[in-house]
Amino acid sequence: MQTKHTNGDATSPSSTTPSDQANASLSANDPAANSRVEPGTMPTRRAGLSTQCVHAGEQRQKDSGSIATPIYTAATFTFESTDDLLRFVNGEDQREEYGRYGNPNERSVEAKIAALEKCEEAIVYGSGMSAIVGLLMTKLSAGDEIVFFDQCYHRSREFCAKHLSRFGVVTRQVTTGDYDAMEAAINRNTKMLVSESPTNPHLSVIDLEKFAAVGKANEVETLIDATLATPYNLNPTEYGVDYVLHSATKYLGGHNDLLAGVLCGRSEQLEAVRSMRGILGNISSPHNLYLLERGLKTFELRMRRQNENGLRIAEFLESHPRVERVYYPGLKSHPTHAIAAAQMRGFGGLITFTIRDADWKQTANIVDAARIPRIAPSLGGVESLIEQPLVMSYFHCTPEDRVRFGIDDNMIRMSCGIENGDDLIADLEQALSV
């Protein structure tokens, strides 16, 4: 297993990419991003993560001297002349033509996320689900198969098992973390291996080196949904994973005020994916892209607090007599803690726990008693959120399916925000006393 990396020690791909361009821009123009050196000495160092969050992907001097990237609400973009248009269609000018294919706000955000994820390219979508749908619709045809680890977001599972099957694509699910079972499920029709890391809601961490190795040995592409990890805590492509998916609605946006998704990877592999997005139209609005860029500027600062809150509250819950079990990869009691400790730089703000000797209603009473977290789906924002998965996401599932998916009646999921950790713990203490 590879050792974990520190933020700011990004490695550069050999070719020039949006991520490289973003860092090159920092090196050339931003005194805060580099240590200055005399000609002939060691080159300037790559910018650290917080500097990338603020500056990567953005032009040094923007329209009218604006410090923030202006919001480009144009549906179409004009050309001065036919010669100007010809330079564009011949690939001589990199610019926009029509809003479904690209937007200056989009390119700025994509370059920033590519830099954070240490990838050649990023493609932004209207949501996390549209991102995974866009990838799979591009890469799969009738008769193809994909293999999923069975701990996953229920809508991802539903799309693959229920909707892709209508187009002749077969989805096979195997036990999460069973790499032998995953390899055994591969046949000549298999085109992609899919997993989350950590998984939702059990927060199992995948051994990405093993996962990627199975794919490479069988010439099958690999996708990791790293929404719960974030680029702050994990960069899956460093372990050989082909595609990284994020619901940017969560930690990347960070304020529960936008919907967006992003796919990251190598430019060559993403070329057809971007083309398909232009056909399907799964784009994000200019205002959402502005909000996402603004949210990313404080990404590192937010993640530090959410990592801290997540670990403190998980430790508190594990020691509480009313709590039966805590799922959090930062705890030594978690089955995949050793993998998480080797791969991740932090463990995020999401915690799942079960209440001892409680039925669904007694569990709901605890959720209702919490005063700081709000009852809501989603995660990763500055506000703490709390929910009972039985009611929020799996209410219409059969009891048998809930057992199969590992959703207990007494299960609570909490997304820690950036509030004071002592306040959150005190609030949970009083809620658990009801």
Side-chain angles (χ1 to χ4, degrees), residues 309 312-313 316-317 320 322-323 353 355 363-375 383-387 412-417 419-434:
N309 280 348
R312 284 193 63 199
I313 291 168
F316 160 75
L317 290 169
H320 198 283
R322 285 210 68 189
V323 175
F353 57 102
I355 305 303
T363 304
N365 290 340
I366 293 172
V367 171
D368 290 344
R371 300 271 59 89
I372 296 177
R374 307 298 294 272
I375 301 175
E383 301 93 353
S384 291
L385 304 176
I386 196 166
E387 62 161 284
I412 294 173
R413 194 187 79 162
M414 179 174 173
S415 170
C416 301
E419 300 97 339
N420 180 277
D422 291 335
D423 293 340
L424 290 172
I425 289 172
D427 188 39
L428 285 172
E429 180 75 72
Q430 66 82 24
L432 287 165
S433 68
V434 299

Side-chain angles (χ1 to χ4, degrees), residues 149-152 174-179 195-196 199 204-206:
F149 278 146
D150 60 358
Q151 292 181 18
C152 62
V174 299
T175 302
T176 298
D178 190 336
Y179 308 96
S195 182
E196 300 171 7
T199 62
S204 298
V205 178
I206 303 305

Side-chain angles (χ1 to χ4, degrees), residues 53-212:
C53 288
V54 175
H55 297 289
E58 299 184 32
Q59 295 179 3
R60 174 72 173 176
Q61 193 66 21
K62 304 181 178 73
D63 289 350
S64 301
S66 172
I67 192 166
T69 302
I71 302 175
Y72 294 86
T73 58
T76 190
F77 298 83
T78 64
F79 296 84
E80 287 288 337
S81 65
T82 299
D83 286 343
D84 190 23
L85 173 58
L86 286 171
R87 282 192 295 273
F88 168 74
V89 298
N90 286 323
E92 298 170 23
D93 286 347
Q94 298 296 317
R95 49 152 295 169
E96 314 306 337
E97 172 200 9
Y98 185 62
R100 199 172 73 246
Y101 304 127
N103 173 287
N105 295 105
E106 178 183 278
R107 294 191 184 278
S108 178
V109 168
E110 287 179 343
K112 191 183 293 289
I113 295 175
L116 301 183
E117 198 54 84
K118 304 178 184 178
C119 286
E120 290 183 7
E121 188 168 348
I123 305 176
V124 173
Y125 287 79
S127 68
M129 278 305 303
S130 64
I132 190 170
V133 168
L135 176 67
L136 297 179
M137 291 294 286
T138 305
K139 295 291 181 175
L140 302 174
S141 301
D144 289 344
E145 299 190 6
I146 56 175
V147 183
F148 257 83
F149 278 146
D150 60 358
Q151 292 181 18
C152 62
Y153 177 50
H154 68 288
R155 294 303 186 190
S156 298
R157 179 192 295 115
E158 180 181 0
F159 172 72
C160 293
K162 182 177 179 181
H163 298 288
L164 275 182
S165 61
R166 295 190 293 115
F167 300 96
V169 175
V170 175
T171 300
R172 302 188 185 278
Q173 292 194 51
V174 299
T175 302
T176 298
D178 190 336
Y179 308 96
D180 291 336
M182 176 165 272
E183 186 148 26
I186 296 172
N187 59 48
R188 62 185 179 86
N189 297 320
T190 307
K191 294 297 186 293
M192 190 167 294
L193 310 180
V194 181
S195 182
E196 300 171 7
S197 189
T199 62
N200 183 9
H202 297 91
L203 296 143
S204 298
V205 178
I206 303 305
D207 187 326
L208 296 181
E209 194 171 86
K210 288 184 178 179
F211 177 77

Side-chain angles (χ1 to χ4, degrees), residues 13-46:
S14 58
S15 59
T16 302
T17 68
S19 176
D20 292 330
Q21 292 166 2
N23 281 285
S25 174
L26 288 174
S27 299
N29 299 313
D30 189 357
N34 303 282
S35 301
R36 295 300 182 189
V37 293
E38 295 298 323
T41 61
M42 291 293 290
T44 56
R45 68 178 180 85
R46 195 176 186 87

